[in-house]
Amino acid sequence: MTGTTLDDYTDRYARRVRGMTASEIRALFAVASRPEVVSLAGGAPYIAALPLDAVGEMLGRLGSEHGATTLQYGIGQGTLELRERICEVMALSGIDAACGASPEDVVVTVGGQQALDLVARLFLDPGDVVLAEGPTYVGALGVFQAAQAQVVHVPMDEDGLIPEALETAIAEQARSGRRVKFLYTIPTYQNPTGVTLTEERRERVLDICERAGLLVVEDDPYGQLGFSGDAPAPLRARRRDGVFYLSTFSKTFAPGLRVGWILAPHAVRDKLVIASEAQILCPSGYAQAAVSTYLATMPWRQQLKVYREVYRERRDAMLDALADLMPEGTTWTVPAGGLFVWATLPDGLDSKAMMPRAIAARVAYVPGTGFYADGTGNDYMRLNFSFPPPERIREGVRRLAGVMEQDIAMRRVFGAVGRPGGRRGRAGSDTPGPDLA
């Protein structure tokens, strides 16, 4: 007797669909959005910190006074006005005309996610290898898996990606005859760990990639959300050749507008535009006008300071709650910016197995398994502090700590229950990875 499936189209899908899996974060949204649940799971910015009345008036005028242009088709690369504004934003981080940043080499995208997908479409063939930090952004994993590429993780520690591990990974792939196309990295306030690649390591990573002929895809959604002092200059501010710089307005203005961009080497720009036109024809003219007008008419630099203060207060609330309430053996990162804390669980706890009990206790987080291509990372979890107010953060940590204490107590009574693969830290190793606390 042959097996049956609820999907009548199984035999008709393209081969690349087989590697597509649901995002663990997106799957949590339906539950985490319930008002009784304290969600430490998402990565949503605190939109209420914006001057919403002024933003609403601005959006209304774009429709009533400029609708004949903002509601029309546009060009695939994005409007020149927005690309010029993007260059002003990048200049704050040191990516300016002196290092080759030009509106001509900017391609506007539908959020940072489309930027990732365009790079994958241009450079990844089935079977190609992408090197990425371990752990890394779950949305990037989905893009690379859809492109039928294989992600090989490079370990991190509290100073970010480990250069020696990057050299080892490149050499191992070369020995095995596999083709590595690029390094994907979030060097500043990384998602999910919150750690930042140090100045010295940035230069070493760039040198290693240059010697190996390896492209670098730098994802920088959080670089302008530092809590104390300036972040190290982006990789693209240091080298122009072979470095693709991706960013978005989702974390610094409004994710609902879905506006991001790529700053690409000049030779690649036209191909990015062609690939984007094949996908979406053109980015939304209304959304582009909204971002352009916001940057031209509103105090957006001051708004960045507001966000930094709000998130710093909430980070401090989370760190205080973790220190006061978490069971012994729990460790966590101390981010200098961004939206996330990465926690390591006490020995024997499994963040994925614990999730149903956490939801029953009305608290949500993201298990670490979502951030590793091979599904490891059971002993980690990502905690978001950008959206809930400080008192809710503390309450969420209190509920989470209670669930963890219950699991620890159950293990004392019934003994340890092994997990497939054991504790996994460094990708490809059954030994714990570097402590990111």
Side-chain angles (χ1 to χ4, degrees):
M1 180 177 179
T2 60
T4 60
T5 175
L6 296 176
D7 187 347
D8 294 334
Y9 300 92
T10 298
D11 295 335
R12 306 186 187 192
Y13 289 129
R15 284 190 294 271
R16 62 180 168 273
V17 175
R18 297 171 189 169
M20 296 172 65
T21 57
S23 163
E24 299 204 15
I25 299 176
R26 303 298 299 182
L28 282 170
F29 276 7
V31 173
S33 62
R34 297 175 187 169
E36 70 273 16
V37 175
V38 179
S39 178
L40 307 177
Y46 186 58
I47 295 300
L50 284 169
L52 292 177
D53 289 346
V55 170
E57 291 176 8
M58 178 195 78
L59 295 175
R61 288 194 302 273
L62 289 177
S64 61
E65 299 176 14
H66 306 285
T69 54
T70 61
L71 301 179
Q72 187 55 275
Y73 287 117
I75 63 173
Q77 188 175 356
T79 66
L80 176 59
E81 180 183 5
L82 178 56
R83 287 183 278 122
E84 289 175 340
R85 298 290 178 189
I86 285 171
C87 285
E88 293 176 11
V89 172
M90 290 191 295
L92 286 183
S93 302
I95 304 174
D96 54 21
C99 61
S102 164
E104 291 303 309
D105 295 331
V106 172
V107 177
V108 177
T109 61
V110 182
Q113 195 68 18
Q114 194 210 4
L116 276 170
D117 190 69
L118 290 176
V119 172
R121 284 172 183 266
L122 258 61
F123 289 102
L124 294 180
D125 289 315
D128 282 342
V129 173
V130 174
L131 300 181
E133 293 142 342
T136 194
Y137 169 50
V138 64
L141 291 177
V143 167
F144 302 148
Q145 288 164 353
Q148 297 178 277
Q150 181 171 356
V151 175
V152 173
H153 288 297
V154 181
M156 306 170 64
D157 61 17
E158 65 275 7
D159 291 328
L161 187 75
I162 301 171
E164 295 82 2
L166 175 60
E167 288 184 301
T168 298
I170 292 171
E172 287 176 349
Q173 297 307 307
R175 282 195 297 271
S176 65
R178 295 156 73 193
R179 190 178 186 189
V180 180
K181 283 295 184 68
F182 55 77
L183 168 68
Y184 170 71
T185 177
I186 312 171
T188 306
Y189 316 137
Q190 199 243 10
N191 179 3
T193 66
V195 305
T196 297
L197 188 66
T198 62
E199 284 277 2
E200 183 265 342
R201 285 193 180 182
R202 288 178 187 237
E203 294 296 335
R204 291 175 63 194
V205 165
L206 286 168
D207 287 343
I208 291 166
C209 290
E210 187 173 299
R211 288 196 301 269
L214 195 63
L215 299 176
V216 177
V217 178
E218 178 181 18
D219 200 356
D220 189 26
Y222 315 103
Q224 294 181 344
L225 296 176
F227 305 144
S228 56
D230 295 330
L235 304 180
R236 180 56 181 79
R238 303 159 190 268
R239 310 277 173 94
R240 69 172 71 180
D241 295 330
V243 179
F244 292 75
Y245 181 82
L246 283 54
S247 193
T248 177
F249 290 104
S250 292
K251 302 302 187 290
T252 56
F253 180 28
L257 292 172
R258 309 305 302 131
V259 177
W261 73 91
I262 305 173
L263 176 65
H266 185 75
V268 184
R269 187 272 318 272
D270 288 344
K271 292 181 175 61
L272 285 169
V273 173
I274 293 169
S276 182
E277 288 173 340
Q279 275 188 326
I280 62 167
L281 191 61
C282 62
S284 163
Y286 183 82
Q288 291 181 83
V291 175
S292 297
T293 306
Y294 172 76
L295 295 173
T297 64
M298 294 193 180
W300 60 273
R301 292 176 179 84
Q302 183 61 37
Q303 185 61 42
L304 284 176
K305 295 179 182 178
V306 171
Y307 275 131
R308 290 172 190 142
E309 286 301 310
V310 168
Y311 297 154
R312 182 175 59 80
E313 178 188 24
R314 295 178 180 204
R315 177 210 58 180
D316 291 347
M318 175 164 282
L319 295 178
D320 289 345
L322 291 170
D324 292 344
L325 302 171
M326 275 289 152
E328 184 178 355
T330 312
T331 60
W332 51 87
T333 58
V334 180
L339 310 182
F340 307 110
V341 165
W342 182 247
T344 303
L345 302 181
D347 283 344
L349 296 193
D350 184 322
S351 61
K352 190 166 186 177
M354 194 171 66
M355 175 55 74
R357 294 185 287 280
I359 295 298
R362 297 169 300 159
V363 62
Y365 58 88
V366 184
T369 50
F371 304 98
Y372 288 91
D374 58 3
T376 56
N378 304 68
D379 32 6
Y380 303 109
M381 59 181 162
R382 192 192 74 177
L383 304 175
N384 167 257
F385 54 77
S386 62
F387 193 75
E391 64 275 10
R392 289 284 284 174
I393 289 173
R394 188 171 186 87
E395 175 60 19
V397 173
R398 185 192 68 79
R399 296 177 187 181
L400 180 55
V403 173
M404 293 168 63
E405 294 282 10
Q406 289 177 354
D407 270 29
I408 291 170
M410 290 286 285
R411 286 177 56 81
R412 291 187 185 128
V413 173
F414 296 104
V417 178
R419 290 183 304 208
R423 288 179 64 87
R424 294 289 294 271
R426 296 179 185 269
S429 169
D430 289 323
T431 58
D435 189 351
L436 291 172

